[in-house]
Amino acid sequence: MGERFVVVPVDGAAGGAAPGRAEEDREPAEGLGLDPAEDPGPGPQDPGAAVPILEYNREPIKYGDGVPKENSPFINNTDNDKGNSYDGTNMALFEEEMDSNPMVSSLLNKLANYTNLTQGAQEHEEADDDEGPKKKAVKSPQMGTFMGVYLPCLQNILGVILFLRLTWIVGTAGILESLAIVGLCCSCTMLTAISMSAIATNGVVPAGGSYYMISRSLGPEFGGAVGLCFYLGTTFAGSMYILGTIEILLTYIVPKAAIFVAERKEDEVAALLNNMRVYGTCCLALMAVVVFVGVKYVNKLALVFLACVILSILAIYAGVIKTIFEPPDFPVCMLGNRTLQNHDFDKCLKTETVDNVTTTTRLWTLFCKGPELNASCNEYFMNNNVTLVQGIPGLTSGVVSENMWSQYGPLAMLVENPKLESVGGSDPAQDIYMPYVVNDITTFFTLLVGIYFPSVTGIMAGSNRSGDLRDAQKSIPIGTILAIATTSFIYVTCVVLFGACIEGVLLRDKFGDSVKGNLVIGTLSWPSPWVIVIGSFFSCCGAGLQSLTGAPRLLQAIARDGIVPFCRCRLVFGHGKANGEPTWALLLTAGICEIGILIASLDAVAPILSMFFLMCYLFVNLACAVQTLLRTPNWRPRFKYYHWALSFLGMSLCLALMFISSWYYAIVAMVIAGCIYKYIEYRGAEKEWGDGIRGLSLNAARYALIRLEDAPPHTKNWRPQLLVLLNVDSDQAVKHPRLLSLTTQLKAGKGLTIVGNVLEGTYLTKDTEAKKAEQNIKAAMAAERTKGFCHVVISSNLRDGVSHLIQSAGLGGMKHNTVLMAWPGTWKQSNDPQSWKNFIETVRETTAAHHALLVAKNVDSFPTNQDRLGEGTIDVWWVVHDGGMLMLLPFLLRQHKVWRKCKMRIFTVAQMDDNSIQMKRDLQMFLYHLRLDAEVEVVEMHDNDISAFTYEKTLVMEQRSQMLKQMQLSRTEREREIQSITDESRNSIRRKNQGADQGAELSRQSSQMEDTQEDEAQLIHDRNTASHAAVNDKADSGPERVHMTWTKDKLFTERNRSRECNSNVAVRDLFNMKPEWESLNQSNVRRMHTAVKLNEVVVNKSQGAHLVLLNMPGPPRNRGGDENYMEFLEVLLEGLNRVLLVRGGGREVITIYS
């Protein structure tokens, strides 16, 4: 049966009134009411609340949600100590917290005996006012659906792949797999067009088309990244169309125009690529000039080019119909079952008889070493016969069944007809030099997907030119969807008809070598193959012009948005000629396009642009899905035939096609888009476009907050969620920026940080100051790299404001659990006691709210984020266990580069009855289970007699406290009361030879009660200082006037004096002081003793440490001793530079469990 630990609520042993508030109407001296160096923090648990006790139970959980909750055997588990009263003096400062926070020695003892341990996320298009003087208005073309969208899409879709590669794809993949390829790609584009139509009809779509739609739907980061990727895709598409144009020109129209001619068969590919580079560059330059002249001429030329495309397609269908009655005569010569290149011979014969004389043919000379009949010939040539096979057998020939299946193969694989007989004798080493038709690349299904997909990527040709459309919202959906439907029908029918009319070996002959270099698709057309050749040539030219027209406009739209900051993009590419043509963008486009031309292989360029287009389509679908699911009020597209499921399907299909086509190209494209995204996010201008990603973030945040509200975080997920109480001065400037540095070092950018500030007044009168303070705090947070939120509160008094922050900062489950503040270092010098009262009340409130509290003393001496502390230590003084905060904080600090070189030391205090050696072993084992590296030292503090210095310190503290209480009386009463207190103090401890001088001095000072309250308080300090200092003087010293305040120097001076006195004088002094000591509050004496002794030990061990972390004692439950509490803490911290006082929030924050 499973073991369980069950928490059982038990009545607390001690009760106490809930912490209230001190005088609320007092106005503190500083901005937050805590003093110039203040900051609030957590305190002890309400002792009246039920204390959860860990009970060990082997029964399974039978209640709740069935999820075991981890509970600690340490904190709040003090049932075994309830009956033990604490009567020691060394830890009296913490005695009121012993019922909820056990001594470390008790914790370690329980840990050593605990064996059941379980192992265990203004838009409205800003006007370009900063673009210089207003340009002269230019009337742009106003085109409709047919001319502006349908025809450009049709022309781009029905481009180079249809004419140059579709027959080869059908022959290689077979009809069935070719239909699958076409179906996948066309489905992807149709789903994308539906999503694009919804976005395009949800508002005005200015110039930029697809980029505009993506950026306004997914935000500037996604818009810029995907927009630039789509721009690159469109540019490389221009390269592909130009390469197609040159391939048609040099292969099928004027082969003799080639500049580079191969001497050997194996050099033909390299020669072709070099010719493509030269002629492609010239063609690109010519097309760039045409585009530069103006888009108007491109549109006029588009009609001519499109007419060629339509005529070519009609010629294909006419040729298919003609094959039913009279198939064209395009014989293919076969040697055995191998296909021969029919360039260098005219007859498919080995020998022929002329005038009864048998002579060899030109084919013979290709395989033999001479024209003689007895010449040495290729073995395969001699063993096999040559036959003629009709390349276009016709629609009714039944060849469709043979072309149904795929014929993939490696590079240089021979194109063979399996129906024909073949006799062995093949020599692969020699076959590459023979005039066989072979595969020029290795073929497989995914490669063909990547090569084919560019044939459907023209769907955004219309949206890219949305600035030229009369009504983009109407034209883009109708024109695009109609174009996709038309081209999808054409592609599907062409796949089936090609497979049904053309012989398989001819289909797999990519360049038509077996039919004398004719374009394969041209052999099927009617009335002449030249119809297809010329039509495809002008089709590729037109598609290239469309790409070179759309791509610069896309870059211009991105540049004008100003979201890509590099290369002065907005100033250069956002402008053009006087008529608005993007001149500089056109030059950059031509330069990038040249890169694709230098690659020179159409089959290599096609998968590259497939990636960029697929990524763009993916984000178009994502944008539509996000907007639909978020149901934002502004999402009201006129196009109604969309659904989020279709968008998700399209998005998934795009992603799948990316990795199907080429997984490594897909990764490269994603990396490029990711880098652009992060660059724009890091350096780009802030844009608020009401995009869907912002809405998605809001929805995700709401969902996460609701989930977090269900239950508090598990101990393993606990991290300090900080509320930083920050002060500002009268000019609303931040007082302690190092507090933000400490926050950054403590958080390392993780978790929640709320920086709070309180201004005194009303919201109506302080609104401007509050905004200024918020701006200054945010600027300081940015300078210190503090990631979080700023919260400025205006309240009638500062105490209420701090209370409101502690209670209400955060939202739902994302609320702070730790308060960070600065120590009020000037609380003694402040004229208003409300400053330190506010500090103590803040401590009480954090305790009541079960928040942890961190108080930084001398926070201005803490290191900045640019500092790098050298070898040193972070010392932890673990006096009481309050949840493990003292263990966790040094670990978090050491994760930051400022503290990384520091080592962690842990000191704990052993009492008289504790076994120091065993405590050290137990603590080392505890740290081992916590996976923390630290040096361990146990400091023994025995119950020593309370020193005279402690009594003196306590006496002065109580007298000052009593005097401060009288400051609430009238001036006359205050004078009388102070005189009485002074006289009583003087009479009880004065010496005979000092009486006259001291009485005169006191009378003189009492006559000056017209001074400020601070003067009156200082008077009592000075008098008492003089009298008690005299007690410790040497016997032969004469009377002298002493003026001192209780400063750090005073403390060390008094200590040194008391230690230097001989024993006889000390005994006499103690005897003389004893009557006054008896009237002291013994609880205060014991607490002062704890502060003095603990301070001595800490200073002795940790004075040179980079940082000291120390348990912060809780304030007294009786508010009458609040001012004494501040004195205790001052004594405890004297002599230390950087100190972080820590109070736990009443729960475990670090665990030994896995």
Side-chain angles (χ1 to χ4, degrees):
M1 189 171 294
E3 297 179 356
R4 297 290 186 268
F5 295 98
V6 183
V7 176
V8 181
V10 179
D11 291 336
R21 281 194 304 107
E23 322 226 346
E24 304 176 315
D25 297 330
R26 294 283 178 183
E27 294 181 8
E30 293 294 342
L32 215 139
L34 304 177
D35 232 341
E38 86 294 9
D39 259 337
Q45 275 185 283
D46 185 358
V51 181
I53 304 301
L54 187 75
E55 217 178 74
Y56 184 76
N57 186 5
R58 290 184 176 271
E59 292 296 321
I61 293 178
K62 301 178 181 178
Y63 55 86
D65 56 5
V67 179
K69 309 294 183 189
E70 179 184 6
N71 296 285
S72 172
F74 313 131
I75 194 168
N76 296 330
N77 185 12
T78 58
D79 51 330
N80 296 327
D81 303 331
K82 295 289 184 182
N84 302 332
S85 59
Y86 184 82
D87 54 2
T89 57
N90 284 337
M91 293 296 113
L93 199 58
F94 299 92
E95 63 186 10
E96 291 185 355
E97 304 174 65
M98 294 301 174
D99 55 350
S100 60
N101 299 329
M103 288 293 297
V104 174
S105 57
S106 301
L107 167 77
L108 295 175
N109 181 58
K110 292 175 185 176
L111 177 68
N113 297 321
Y114 186 65
T115 59
N116 292 310
L117 295 177
T118 306
Q119 300 298 320
Q122 149 191 30
E123 204 261 340
H124 279 304
E125 289 322 350
E126 300 154 327
D128 292 329
D129 295 333
D130 55 341
E131 291 194 11
K134 190 173 182 180
K135 297 177 181 178
K136 181 180 177 180
V138 178
K139 184 177 180 181
S140 61
Q142 298 294 309
M143 294 180 289
T145 302
F146 187 76
M147 284 292 297
V149 180
Y150 181 79
L151 293 184
C153 287
L154 210 64
Q155 185 175 351
N156 276 267
I157 295 172
L158 298 175
V160 59
I161 301 298
L162 170 64
F163 300 113
L164 297 185
R165 294 293 184 268
L166 189 58
T167 54
W168 174 72
I169 291 174
V170 173
T172 304
I175 296 175
L176 293 180
E177 292 187 25
S178 297
L179 289 175
I181 294 174
V182 173
L184 280 173
C185 297
C186 291
S187 298
C188 176
T189 55
M190 181 59 79
L191 292 172
T192 302
I194 293 173
S195 299
M196 184 182 68
S197 299
I199 298 173
T201 58
N202 190 54
V204 177
V205 181
S210 55
Y211 158 73
Y212 181 91
M213 291 185 288
I214 294 171
S215 62
R216 271 53 176 184
S217 298
L218 294 179
E221 295 87 2
F222 276 112
V226 181
L228 285 176
C229 286
F230 186 60
Y231 163 74
L232 293 175
T234 305
T235 304
F236 275 104
S239 300
M240 185 187 70
Y241 295 130
I242 293 174
L243 290 174
T245 302
I246 303 305
E247 182 177 314
I248 295 171
L249 178 69
L250 294 181
T251 306
Y252 307 113
I253 299 179
V254 282
K256 294 183 179 180
I259 299 175
F260 300 92
V261 180
E263 298 290 339
R264 298 175 301 172
K265 182 175 183 295
E266 55 268 29
D267 297 333
E268 290 178 356
V269 175
L272 175 63
L273 296 181
N274 289 330
N275 287 319
M276 300 278 279
R277 294 184 179 105
V278 173
Y279 280 95
T281 302
C282 297
C283 183
L284 172 64
L286 180 61
M287 288 186 176
V289 171
V290 173
V291 173
F292 179 78
V293 171
V295 68
K296 176 177 61 175
Y297 301 100
V298 175
N299 293 332
K300 290 181 178 180
L301 289 173
L303 291 176
V304 178
F305 297 148
L306 185 62
C308 295
V309 173
I310 295 175
L311 288 175
S312 299
I313 294 174
L314 292 177
I316 293 172
Y317 285 114
V320 169
I321 296 173
K322 182 176 180 293
T323 61
I324 301 176
F325 313 102
E326 183 183 349
D329 184 24
F330 282 97
V332 176
C333 186
M334 308 291 296
L335 176 61
N337 63 355
R338 301 178 182 180
T339 309
L340 296 177
Q341 294 182 350
N342 194 357
H343 289 299
D344 299 323
F345 60 93
D346 51 355
K347 296 179 181 180
C348 186
L349 296 170
K350 291 183 180 181
T351 61
E352 61 179 344
T353 302
V354 179
D355 298 330
N356 293 324
V357 178
T358 302
T359 60
T360 59
T361 62
R362 294 189 61 185
L363 178 60
W364 179 281
T365 60
L366 296 176
F367 288 91
C368 300
K369 295 183 178 180
E372 299 82 8
L373 290 173
N374 60 351
S376 176
C377 298
N378 180 270
E379 182 181 356
Y380 187 85
F381 177 77
M382 297 302 298
N383 294 337
N384 293 272
N385 296 323
V386 292
T387 56
L388 280 176
V389 175
Q390 191 56 251
I392 312 293
L395 192 61
T396 59
S397 63
V399 75
V400 63
S401 60
E402 301 173 8
N403 294 330
M404 197 67 70
W405 314 109
S406 60
Q407 296 283 339
Y408 300 117
L411 174 67
M413 186 189 79
L414 301 174
V415 176
E416 300 175 339
N417 187 339
K419 295 189 305 179
L420 300 179
E421 294 182 358
S422 175
V423 180
S426 176
D427 184 4
Q430 296 297 323
D431 288 344
I432 59 173
Y433 301 105
M434 299 295 106
Y436 296 126
V437 177
V438 297
N439 286 351
D440 63 329
I441 58 175
T442 301
T443 55
F444 43 89
F445 178 80
T446 57
L447 173 73
L448 300 185
V449 173
I451 293 176
Y452 173 77
F453 188 81
S455 67
V456 297
T457 55
I459 64 171
M460 290 189 173
S463 64
N464 287 343
R465 300 162 72 243
S466 54
D468 301 323
L469 299 175
R470 186 183 307 113
D471 185 357
Q473 292 192 45
K474 176 183 177 182
S475 299
I476 291 175
I478 296 176
T480 304
I481 292 177
L482 283 178
I484 293 174
T486 303
T487 54
S488 297
F489 173 79
I490 292 173
Y491 282 130
V492 171
T493 55
C494 283
V495 167
V496 176
L497 295 176
F498 291 166
C501 295
I502 304 177
E503 177 64 40
V505 292
L506 182 56
L507 285 174
R508 296 197 297 278
D509 184 2
K510 182 186 291 187
F511 301 105
D513 292 325
S514 61
V515 286
K516 298 186 179 298
N518 280 294
L519 183 62
V520 175
I521 197 174
T523 61
L524 182 63
S525 63
W526 181 86
S528 168
W530 286 100
V531 175
I532 298 293
V533 172
I534 301 300
S536 60
F537 177 80
F538 285 111
S539 171
C540 293
C541 287
L545 286 172
Q546 294 289 349
S547 296
L548 291 179
T549 301
R553 289 168 175 262
L554 181 59
L555 182 62
Q556 185 183 47
I558 298 173
R560 283 180 172 173
D561 272 339
I563 62 173
V564 183
F566 61 80
C567 297
R568 299 175 60 86
C569 183
R570 181 170 185 158
L571 297 178
V572 176
F573 301 114
H575 300 274
K577 297 190 300 183
N579 62 352
E581 292 300 313
T583 306
W584 291 106
L586 175 62
L587 290 177
L588 179 63
T589 301
I592 298 175
C593 192
E594 177 65 18
I595 297 175
I597 290 175
L598 293 178
I599 296 175
S601 173
L602 188 148
D603 297 327
V605 173
I608 296 176
L609 63 98
S610 293
M611 294 304 111
F612 292 124
F613 279 119
L614 280 167
M615 183 171 294
C616 178
Y617 298 167
L618 185 150
F619 282 101
V620 169
N621 285 288
L622 175 62
C624 181
V626 166
Q627 297 281 23
T628 305
L629 289 176
L630 290 180
R631 296 188 178 93
T632 52
N634 190 53
W635 180 246
R636 302 183 302 274
R638 291 199 180 107
F639 181 81
K640 302 298 182 184
Y641 305 102
Y642 68 94
H643 193 271
W644 65 266
L646 294 176
S647 298
F648 267 114
L649 179 60
M651 182 179 65
S652 304
L653 199 54
C654 289
L655 187 62
L657 284 173
M658 287 180 68
F659 283 91
I660 287 174
S661 301
S662 176
W663 63 268
Y664 46 89
Y665 277 159
I667 293 176
V668 170
M670 288 181 174
V671 168
I672 293 174
C675 292
I676 297 173
Y677 176 94
K678 294 305 294 183
Y679 180 78
I680 295 174
E681 182 184 51
Y682 180 69
R683 297 290 303 273
E686 289 291 333
K687 295 287 182 180
E688 174 52 61
W689 286 332
D691 51 87
I693 293 298
R694 295 292 179 94
L696 184 63
S697 300
L698 290 174
N699 273 25
R702 180 184 62 85
Y703 175 77
L705 286 173
I706 292 174
R707 289 292 302 274
L708 285 175
E709 191 74 15
D710 293 344
H714 191 278
T715 301
K716 286 184 278 190
N717 293 327
W718 194 95
R719 64 184 62 191
Q721 315 281 15
L722 292 179
L723 170 62
V724 184
L725 297 181
L726 202 62
N727 279 344
V728 296
D729 56 21
S730 58
D731 294 329
Q732 317 308 323
V734 175
K735 279 190 174 182
H736 303 296
R738 297 289 179 89
L739 206 58
L740 296 176
S741 301
L742 177 61
T743 302
T744 302
Q745 296 158 20
L746 194 60
K747 302 290 291 183
K750 304 296 189 300
L752 174 70
T753 300
I754 302 174
V755 180
N757 174 255
V758 178
L759 297 180
E760 187 176 13
T762 63
Y763 185 75
L764 296 179
T765 59
K766 294 284 186 177
D767 181 41
T768 303
E769 295 180 16
K771 291 180 179 178
K772 182 180 178 182
E774 184 174 358
Q775 291 176 353
N776 292 340
I777 292 175
K778 286 182 177 179
M781 292 173 66
E784 299 296 337
R785 297 183 179 179
T786 303
K787 297 180 180 179
F789 308 97
C790 176
H791 194 178
V792 178
V793 172
I794 302 176
S795 180
S796 57
N797 62 78
L798 301 178
R799 175 67 246 138
D800 284 345
V802 174
S803 178
H804 295 159
L805 273 177
I806 294 175
Q807 295 178 59
S808 61
L811 179 63
M814 285 298 288
K815 296 181 71 69
H816 60 279
N817 54 30
T818 305
V819 178
L820 174 62
M821 61 190 299
W823 169 258
T826 59
W827 69 275
K828 281 188 176 183
Q829 287 75 37
S830 175
N831 293 330
D832 192 348
Q834 194 65 29
S835 60
W836 54 263
K837 288 185 178 181
N838 283 346
F839 174 81
I840 297 175
E841 287 302 300
T842 302
V843 176
R844 287 195 173 103
E845 288 188 356
T846 55
T847 301
H850 302 297
H851 294 332
L853 173 64
L854 308 178
V855 179
K857 182 196 175 190
N858 297 332
V859 67
D860 291 329
S861 69
F862 275 60
T864 65
N865 292 326
Q866 287 72 39
D867 293 337
R868 299 293 180 269
L869 297 181
E871 298 292 337
T873 61
I874 300 176
D875 287 359
V876 176
W877 284 86
W878 196 19
V879 181
V880 296
H881 179 67
D882 54 359
M885 282 287 290
L886 285 169
M887 305 291 110
L888 185 61
L889 292 176
F891 171 78
L892 295 176
L893 284 174
R894 291 179 63 205
Q895 306 306 304
H896 197 276
K897 50 192 173 183
V898 172
W899 304 89
R900 189 163 295 159
K901 294 183 179 180
C902 296
K903 295 182 180 179
M904 178 178 170
R905 295 194 302 179
I906 297 182
F907 298 88
T908 189
V909 178
Q911 299 300 306
M912 182 69 70
D913 298 333
D914 294 330
N915 185 337
S916 301
I917 298 177
Q918 186 61 39
M919 280 183 64
K920 184 173 183 178
R921 288 201 196 111
D922 293 341
L923 182 54
Q924 287 172 337
M925 181 58 66
F926 184 45
L927 293 176
Y928 175 78
H929 285 302
L930 290 175
R931 291 89 63 200
L932 295 176
D933 296 325
E935 299 178 13
V936 175
E937 185 171 341
V938 177
V939 179
E940 296 184 354
M941 289 183 61
H942 302 297
D943 287 335
N944 299 327
D945 292 335
I946 299 176
S947 65
F949 177 74
T950 300
Y951 278 106
E952 177 189 354
K953 198 77 163 145
T954 307
L955 176 63
V956 174
M957 178 188 71
E958 290 194 353
Q959 289 176 342
R960 183 180 186 277
S961 174
Q962 186 177 1
M963 182 274 297
L964 289 174
K965 292 178 182 178
Q966 303 305 319
M967 288 184 177
Q968 308 301 326
L969 304 175
S970 64
R971 182 180 299 273
T972 304
E973 292 172 331
R974 187 164 62 243
E975 290 179 4
R976 252 194 327 267
E977 184 67 14
I978 293 176
Q979 181 68 49
S980 173
I981 295 172
T982 307
D983 290 342
E984 180 181 353
S985 173
R986 180 190 58 198
N987 293 332
S988 62
I989 62 174
R990 71 185 173 181
R991 293 185 175 184
K992 184 176 181 178
N993 60 346
Q994 293 177 337
D997 291 340
Q998 291 182 355
E1001 176 66 11
L1002 184 59
S1003 299
R1004 186 184 67 79
Q1005 291 183 355
S1006 299
S1007 66
Q1008 299 174 356
M1009 288 296 104
E1010 306 299 329
D1011 295 335
T1012 63
Q1013 295 178 356
E1014 177 61 22
D1015 295 334
E1016 297 163 348
Q1018 190 63 50
L1019 171 64
I1020 300 302
H1021 269 215
D1022 296 341
R1023 261 329 304 148
N1024 292 329
T1025 300
S1027 62
H1028 294 306
V1031 174
N1032 291 327
D1033 284 340
K1034 295 182 179 180
D1036 59 346
S1037 61
E1040 61 178 0
R1041 288 174 59 185
V1042 180
H1043 272 279
M1044 287 188 181
T1045 57
W1046 281 111
T1047 63
K1048 184 186 300 184
D1049 295 337
K1050 165 65 178 171
L1051 172 65
F1052 291 132
T1053 301
E1054 294 300 302
R1055 282 184 181 174
N1056 293 334
R1057 285 187 178 185
S1058 64
R1059 291 170 182 170
E1060 291 171 358
C1061 289
N1062 58 56
S1063 58
N1064 293 332
V1065 174
V1067 170
R1068 186 179 71 240
D1069 290 343
L1070 295 179
F1071 179 80
N1072 292 336
M1073 293 286 288
K1074 190 171 182 180
E1076 183 65 20
W1077 293 350
E1078 292 177 349
S1079 64
L1080 295 177
N1081 185 318
Q1082 293 304 308
S1083 175
N1084 288 341
V1085 173
R1086 289 189 294 110
R1087 293 171 192 269
M1088 184 62 75
H1089 177 69
T1090 298
V1092 171
K1093 295 292 291 182
L1094 192 56
N1095 175 261
E1096 288 179 355
V1097 174
V1098 175
V1099 170
N1100 182 44
K1101 297 284 186 180
S1102 302
Q1103 193 168 22
H1106 286 318
L1107 179 64
V1108 176
L1109 283 83
L1110 181 64
N1111 284 114
M1112 181 179 183
R1117 292 168 184 168
N1118 179 11
R1119 281 181 169 75
D1122 283 358
E1123 62 276 9
N1124 297 337
Y1125 173 69
M1126 298 298 291
E1127 289 281 3
F1128 294 145
L1129 293 182
E1130 279 284 4
V1131 173
L1132 182 63
L1133 302 179
E1134 279 184 298
L1136 299 172
N1137 183 21
R1138 298 185 190 126
V1139 183
L1140 195 61
L1141 290 174
V1142 181
R1143 283 183 62 77
R1147 62 160 292 170
E1148 288 288 343
V1149 301
I1150 194 169
T1151 178
I1152 63 178
Y1153 302 122
S1154 62

